[in-house]
Amino acid sequence: FVMLVIALLVVSFQRCQLTDETAIRTVQSAGFSDVKIERNESARWLCGGDMFTVKFTARNVRNMKVTGAVCCGTIKACNVRFQ
């Protein structure tokens, strides 16, 4: 029984990881284009207690470069926050 619980936790944790595709889709759905993911930079400080974070740069509707983070929790949906 314990092994089953551990296996389920591992599988659910892996399903919650923030992929580049999910991050890009989240930023694009907020109206931004030319999204570039920056995996080597931490975005935890911008996302508070969210478990999964990734920093990005993109272009807004006025073609200005913006920097922010995609923040996702284990239960809540992903959202976009700006620097």
Side-chain angles (χ1 to χ4, degrees):
F1 177 74
V2 173
M3 294 302 289
L4 176 62
V5 171
I6 292 172
L8 288 173
L9 287 173
V10 167
V11 169
S12 66
F13 180 75
Q14 288 176 341
R15 291 183 66 206
C16 293
Q17 289 182 1
L18 178 57
T19 64
D20 288 356
E21 292 80 20
T22 300
I24 291 169
R25 192 170 44 250
T26 301
V27 176
Q28 288 174 336
S29 70
F32 297 87
S33 61
D34 193 27
V35 182
K36 302 216 179 1
I37 301 300
E38 299 178 12
R39 282 277 176 195
N40 59 342
E41 299 215 18
S42 176
R44 291 236 183 254
W45 59 272
L46 194 56
C47 293
D50 290 339
M51 182 170 262
F52 305 103
T53 66
V54 66
K55 192 172 178 185
F56 72 88
T57 58
R59 298 270 175 193
N60 65 15
V61 294
R62 293 184 174 167
N63 202 32
M64 296 171 50
K65 185 178 177 180
V66 295
T67 303
V70 176
C71 310
C72 305
T74 53
I75 298 172
K76 72 176 191 110
C78 297
N79 61 55
V80 178
R81 297 189 184 157
F82 298 96
Q83 213 166 342

